[in-house]
């Protein structure tokens, strides 16, 4: 399978593969740098990125901004000429600060989802950082493109279309996920491709599309490219690589998971998520409350007094290796991962 390089304005990515952002503490500088070094796009998740900083519990905002800088510099040292960016969730309480910090650091792009990033062009201004909003439906793509065009006379440098087979938080209702099949989402992708044509004609340029969600193998990549997209985004497959920033126990949980071990879990963020089932998800399914001892100011959609559990605590526990009591987000095909690999192996296998 031979695929042309991905172009985002003046950026040329030799291998049209984007490593998806995975937080907390899963896709940091080491993984992002390794992917960028191989010619793909390395992405650092800014979600509670400073969780290892000594003052994280006292000053979350500063710890996270410091963490962004440390992890970006780590990635950049591994891939001085590579393409490196951040995944920054709209739902973050300090979203604006994270966007501005990414620009200050010189990040090549910002991928932004968990809500539509309507004000992202204003926050980035005239910086060279490329903008890549995540959409999950033709409706959300239409709303965002129309808004950016009217208010900012701006279009995305890349659209990331995230399907229902993705890991982590999903842009679909739990009911919709149960009904969705492959043919349905192919139609949705086709509709998004048609919607963007209007804006491509107006701005006399191309808005490349990256398809995400459940892309594990070369066959998955081929099927995605046959839909007419320009790139793919792969996340879960990179967890079982030597370069991934997750704890060994986290990676082992993936290697041991079977198809029936992966399911949908409720999240305080307000969206369903896909994760590996464990003792923690059983508690969530049974509505057993695990209130936070301290609010970590993660997302605006969470009310600490009412939340069933603290997603920051759950994700940090998993990242540190507590795979029984932590939340291990996982793509629909994560159970297929049965061996440790290198980033280079994964990219070459998927992209041939």
């Amino acid at each position: 399978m031979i695929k042309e390089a991905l172009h985002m304005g003046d950026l040329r990515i030799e291998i049209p593969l984007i490593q998806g952002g995975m937080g907390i503490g899963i896709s940091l500088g080491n993984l992002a740098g390794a992917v960028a070094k191989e010619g793909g796009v390395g992405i650092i998740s800014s979600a509670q990125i400073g969780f290892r900083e000594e003052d994280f519990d006292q000053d979350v905002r500063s710890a996270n901004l410091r963490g962004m800088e440390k992890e970006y510099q780590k990635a950049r040292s591994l891939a001085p000429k590579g393409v490196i960016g951040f995944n920054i969730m709209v739902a973050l309480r300090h979203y604006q600060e994270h966007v501005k910090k990414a620009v200050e650091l010189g990040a090549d792009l910002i991928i932004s989802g968990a809500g539509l990033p309507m004000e992202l062009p204003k926050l980035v201004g005239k910086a060279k950082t490329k903008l890549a909003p995540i959409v999950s439906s033709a409706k959300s793509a239409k709303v965002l493109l129309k808004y950016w065009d009217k208010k900012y006379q701006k279009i995305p440098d890349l659209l990331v279309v995230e399907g229902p087979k993705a890991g982590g938080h999903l842009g679909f209702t739990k009911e919709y996920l149960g009904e969705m099949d492959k043919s349905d989402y192919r139609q949705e992708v086709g509709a998004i491709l048609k919607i963007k044509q209007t804006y491509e004609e107006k701005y006399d340029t191309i808005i490349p599309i990256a398809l995400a969600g459940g892309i594990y193998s070369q066959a998955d990549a081929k099927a995605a490219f046959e839909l007419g997209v320009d790139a793919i985004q792969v996340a879960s497959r990179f967890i079982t690589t030597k370069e991934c920033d997750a704890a060994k126990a986290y990676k082992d949980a993936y290697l041991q998971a079977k198809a029936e071990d992966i399911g949908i879990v409720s999240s305080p963020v307000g969206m369903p998520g896909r994760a590996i089932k464990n003792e923690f998800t059983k508690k969530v399914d049974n509505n057993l409350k695990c209130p936070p001892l301290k609010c970590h100011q993660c997302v605006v959609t969470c009310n600490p007094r009412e939340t069933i559990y603290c997603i920051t605590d759950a994700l940090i526990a998993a990242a540190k290796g507590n795979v029984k009591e932590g939340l291990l987000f996982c793509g629909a095909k994560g159970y297929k991962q049965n061996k440790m690999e290198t980033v280079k192996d994964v990219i070459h296998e998927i992209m041939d």
Side-chain angles (χ1 to χ4, degrees), residues 1 3 6 8 43 49 55 63 65 79 99 103 112 146-147 173-174 178 187 192 194 219 281 292 318 334 341 345:
M1 179 178 63
K3 189 65 184 171
L6 171 65
M8 287 187 286
I43 297 295
I49 193 171
D55 61 345
L65 294 178
V99 169
V103 172
S112 192
K146 183 177 181 180
Y147 186 85
T173 64
K174 197 169 183 178
Q187 293 175 6
I192 293 171
K194 287 183 180 179
T281 62
E341 302 176 276
D345 291 337

Side-chain angles (χ1 to χ4, degrees), residues 19-300:
Q19 163 251 312
M22 297 171 282
I24 297 168
I26 308 303
S27 61
L28 298 177
N30 202 51
L31 177 58
V35 173
K37 184 179 179 181
E38 294 300 325
V41 178
I43 297 295
I44 300 166
S45 169
S46 79
Q48 302 294 59
I49 193 171
F51 73 99
R52 290 194 176 98
E53 296 291 303
E54 290 184 1
D55 61 345
F56 178 69
D57 285 332
Q58 291 74 43
D59 188 353
V60 174
R61 176 184 170 277
S62 297
N64 283 333
L65 294 178
R66 205 179 311 124
M68 286 180 70
E69 183 163 358
K70 287 182 179 179
E71 296 301 331
Y72 180 78
Q73 297 301 342
K74 185 190 299 181
R76 185 53 72 195
S77 68
L78 292 170
K81 297 182 179 180
V83 178
I84 299 167
F86 283 93
N87 180 297
I88 306 176
M89 298 194 302
V90 177
L92 293 178
R93 288 187 186 273
H94 300 117
Y95 176 70
Q96 293 188 15
E97 289 95 327
H98 284 211
V99 169
K100 291 177 180 178
K101 184 65 175 180
V103 172
E104 174 194 316
L105 291 170
D108 294 305
L109 77 157
I110 293 171
I111 295 177
S112 192
L116 287 178
M118 306 301 274
E119 308 303 326
L120 187 56
K122 178 177 72 175
L123 297 174
V124 172
K126 296 181 179 180
K128 292 183 178 181
T129 303
K130 309 303 181 191
L131 310 184
I134 298 175
V135 295
S136 294
S137 66
K139 181 180 179 181
S140 58
K142 186 174 183 178
V143 168
L144 182 129
L145 287 167
K146 183 177 181 180
Y147 186 85
W148 279 23
D149 171 45
K150 185 175 181 179
K151 187 165 184 178
Y152 302 112
Q153 296 76 56
K154 170 77 176 174
I155 55 174
D157 298 291
L158 172 76
L159 265 180
V160 178
V161 179
E162 190 170 88
K165 300 295 184 182
H169 290 117
L170 304 166
F172 307 90
T173 64
K174 197 169 183 178
E175 294 71 25
Y176 185 77
L177 288 171
E179 298 171 1
M180 175 64 75
D181 62 29
K182 292 181 180 179
S183 61
D184 285 333
Y185 206 67
R186 281 198 292 266
Q187 293 175 6
E188 199 73 29
V189 174
I192 293 171
L193 289 169
K194 287 183 180 179
I195 289 169
K196 71 161 184 140
Q197 287 177 358
T198 300
Y199 298 92
E200 288 177 326
E201 292 170 3
K202 179 175 180 178
Y203 287 85
D204 190 27
T205 190
I206 298 296
I207 304 173
I209 297 282
L211 186 61
I215 297 177
Y216 170 86
S217 65
Q218 188 177 132
D220 297 327
K222 184 179 179 183
F225 287 124
E226 286 175 350
L227 293 176
V229 303
D230 307 279
I232 55 172
Q233 179 174 286
V234 179
S236 294
R237 179 73 188 270
F238 284 112
I239 287 179
T240 48
T241 61
K242 295 174 182 177
E243 297 92 340
C244 179
D245 298 273
K248 181 181 182 299
Y250 194 109
K251 300 176 185 182
D252 289 342
Y254 263 70
L255 297 176
Q256 296 162 10
K258 299 178 177 63
E260 59 268 24
D261 295 327
I262 298 172
I264 302 300
V265 63
S266 298
S267 167
V269 173
M271 296 176 284
R274 179 174 281 108
I276 294 176
K277 298 176 184 177
N278 59 4
E279 292 179 14
F280 175 78
T281 62
K282 288 177 184 177
K283 290 179 182 179
V284 175
D285 290 342
N286 291 322
N287 293 318
L288 295 177
K289 279 203 168 188
C290 306
L293 297 175
K294 177 180 177 59
C295 177
H296 299 289
Q297 303 174 43
C298 55
V299 292
V300 294

Side-chain angles (χ1 to χ4, degrees), residues 1 15 17 37-40 217-218 221 237-238 341-352:
M1 179 178 63
I15 299 177
L17 181 149
K37 184 179 179 181
E38 294 300 325
S217 65
Q218 188 177 132
R237 179 73 188 270
F238 284 112
E341 302 176 276
T342 66
V343 162
K344 184 174 183 177
D345 291 337
V346 170
I347 292 177
H348 282 258
E349 193 279 320
I350 293 176
M351 301 302 291
D352 192 22

